[in-house]
Amino acid sequence: MRIFSGIRPTGNLHLGNYLGAIKQWIALQEKNECVFCIVDLHAITTPYEAKELQKNILETAIIYLAAGINPEKSIIFVQSQIKEHPELAWLLETITPMGELKRMTQFKEKSAKHKDYVNAGLLNYPVLMAADILLYKADAVPVGKDQEQHVELTRNIAKKFNQKFGQTFKEPASMILKEGAKIMSLTDPKKKMSKSDELKSCIFLFDSPEDITKKILSAQTDSGKDICYNITKKPGISNLLTIYSLLTGKRIQDIEKGFTRKGYGEFKKSLAEVIVQYLEPFRRKQKELSLREVYVEEILKQGQRRALIIAQETIREVKEKMGLI
Ligand code: AMP
Ligand code: TRP
């Protein structure tokens, strides 16, 4: 199978990005042909610092590598380095109904959040994402739950193109984990963990052990004192149990048993240790790789070369079918 996924280079990634998306990528690369993109053209649809962008792109590449993506196997590249992405997005925009774009949950959420930044790029964001995926004729797209709607739109666009211009694209499936697809905020467990929220609400992959411990100890929990999973009545503890289970591989029931008659404090202390230990190799590899910028840049260049071959072939086929060549 060919797999495609991407993350916006908006600075430090958090545990939600890792558990919802990147962790699956690592497993998938063993048996599949994987393409992992750093989607900088998506990152500029919400307010950002131009001066910071190149640094954030490199940091995201380092995160991909530190998390275990193998550049010998998988393609890692930067979206804006392949002009075929915005080119295909334009072509697909001409067959995408405006109404569908206006209905997208992420568009509504982001335009409510950045009221003075509701640009056309934000509306067209999902078409660029469809172009990313379709350009590589991907079979599957591993993402967190919040992106499911965009992958569904991608399938609709592919179907419509095929009907109008002849069989060209596959209809890609989204791959969404049962657990981990939506890690919640530490300060408000009814909202998803998101880097645009306050710092205390997120565990970043490169947080220091002290910061991790502080954030987990002050994470919002629920009334009562039992460590038991109950998403509606105890969203705080349930979220922490999910993280515990995903990082240790233990079943939630077994973790609950281990903490019978122990309080939230003890559970949180143990969870903080689990996270600190799990993330330790990330911090180490990140430090190593930040000293090897040239090496990371070379990986991105090589990724661009490999991705370009596929992208050029698809765009040629699409333009031919649309009567542009
Ligand atoms: P973003 O940072 O929005 O570009 O998201 C990158 C990837 O992480 C996407 O596949 C998202 O679905 C996933 N993701 C983001 N936030 C979370 C979260 N809180 N829980 C699980 N997955 C998430
Ligand atoms: N829109 C995705 C997000 O927020 C990022 C993204 C862009 C993506 N292009 C993609 C994900 C293609 C998967 C496939 O998080």
Side-chain angles (χ1 to χ4, degrees):
M1 283 210 302
R2 187 175 281 157
I3 307 288
F4 187 98
S5 196
I7 290 187
R8 291 170 302 133
T10 42
N12 218 337
L13 296 196
H14 56 68
L15 210 50
N17 298 129
Y18 177 74
L19 293 173
I22 303 179
K23 193 160 171 256
Q24 317 192 55
W25 301 2
I26 311 299
L28 285 166
Q29 68 179 350
E30 296 308 320
K31 293 215 173 94
N32 303 282
E33 190 187 348
C34 292
V35 186
F36 299 124
C37 188
I38 297 170
V39 290
D40 52 349
L41 296 174
H42 280 110
I44 61 176
T45 56
T46 40
Y48 77 104
E49 287 291 336
K51 281 203 288 292
E52 302 279 305
L53 192 54
Q54 287 307 310
K55 179 174 81 61
N56 289 341
I57 290 171
L58 202 70
E59 259 171 28
T60 308
I62 289 176
I63 289 171
Y64 284 12
L65 297 169
I69 291 170
N70 176 354
E72 306 278 320
K73 278 194 179 147
S74 306
I75 299 180
I76 306 180
F77 76 103
V78 180
Q79 186 188 34
S80 67
Q81 290 183 2
I82 297 199
K83 295 195 173 56
E84 284 72 6
H85 287 248
E87 185 174 2
L88 181 59
W90 175 263
L91 300 174
L92 298 178
E93 271 159 35
T94 63
I95 59 163
T96 308
M98 277 277 277
E100 283 200 33
L101 295 177
K102 283 191 183 149
R103 271 201 295 279
M104 292 288 119
T105 308
Q106 187 177 288
F107 172 68
K108 286 196 260 179
E109 277 176 9
K110 288 195 175 161
S111 20
K113 191 162 192 171
H114 308 288
K115 287 204 173 57
D116 48 359
Y117 217 89
V118 186
N119 57 85
L122 194 61
L123 181 71
N124 288 322
Y125 181 113
V127 192
L128 179 58
M129 177 161 162
D132 296 340
I133 299 166
L134 298 179
L135 203 45
Y136 300 90
K137 302 197 175 172
D139 299 279
V141 187
V143 279
K145 183 119 190 86
D146 60 338
Q147 295 302 312
E148 193 171 28
Q149 198 182 35
H150 289 164
V151 181
E152 191 186 341
L153 178 75
T154 303
R155 281 196 294 278
N156 292 342
I157 294 176
K159 211 181 292 165
K160 192 148 176 205
F161 187 98
N162 292 343
Q163 277 162 1
K164 229 169 143 69
F165 300 109
Q167 184 59 38
T168 309
F169 294 120
K170 287 182 189 165
E171 290 175 34
S174 48
M175 295 177 94
I176 300 188
L177 291 171
K178 272 206 223 80
E179 301 287 346
K182 200 165 181 194
I183 298 297
M184 309 311 274
S185 153
L186 298 178
T187 47
D188 177 1
K190 295 225 160 66
K191 288 197 325 205
K192 72 167 187 169
M193 185 178 280
S194 159
K195 54 195 154 199
S196 43
D197 273 343
E198 53 177 341
L199 282 177
K200 275 195 311 188
S201 69
C202 278
I203 300 279
F204 293 105
L205 296 182
F206 303 135
D207 270 350
S208 67
E210 297 75 43
D211 283 346
I212 293 173
T213 308
K214 238 188 269 160
K215 287 180 189 180
I216 292 295
L217 293 184
S218 64
Q220 201 198 86
T221 34
D222 323 281
S223 54
K225 48 184 193 295
D226 296 334
I227 313 297
C228 70
Y229 189 91
N230 184 329
I231 257 309
T232 38
K233 293 204 183 114
K234 285 169 162 281
I237 278 293
S238 303
N239 187 42
L240 299 183
L241 275 165
T242 302
I243 299 176
Y244 202 115
S245 158
L246 290 168
L247 295 183
T248 54
K250 289 188 187 157
R251 292 185 320 165
I252 289 191
Q253 301 99 290
D254 296 335
I255 305 169
E256 286 170 347
K257 269 193 213 132
F259 286 96
T260 3
R261 283 189 293 280
K262 293 184 184 158
Y264 287 165
E266 205 163 327
F267 170 66
K268 283 175 159 180
K269 237 188 253 163
S270 169
L271 174 61
E273 275 164 31
V274 164
I275 301 177
V276 167
Q277 259 184 27
Y278 192 93
L279 294 180
E280 207 280 321
F282 281 81
R283 276 191 303 276
R284 206 182 48 240
K285 284 190 208 145
Q286 185 243 6
K287 272 200 198 117
E288 274 166 35
L289 288 163
S290 353
L291 300 170
R292 300 175 67 199
E293 258 182 41
V294 179
Y295 165 74
V296 179
E297 272 161 8
E298 192 43 54
I299 287 174
L300 292 176
K301 251 187 236 153
Q302 191 201 334
Q304 181 213 17
R305 283 194 289 272
R306 289 166 67 195
L308 189 62
I309 298 170
I310 310 172
Q312 280 176 333
E313 199 179 304
T314 308
I315 205 84
R316 182 167 177 86
E317 183 188 355
V318 167
K319 286 171 87 175
E320 242 163 31
K321 293 213 164 121
M322 291 183 82
L324 292 158
I325 10 184

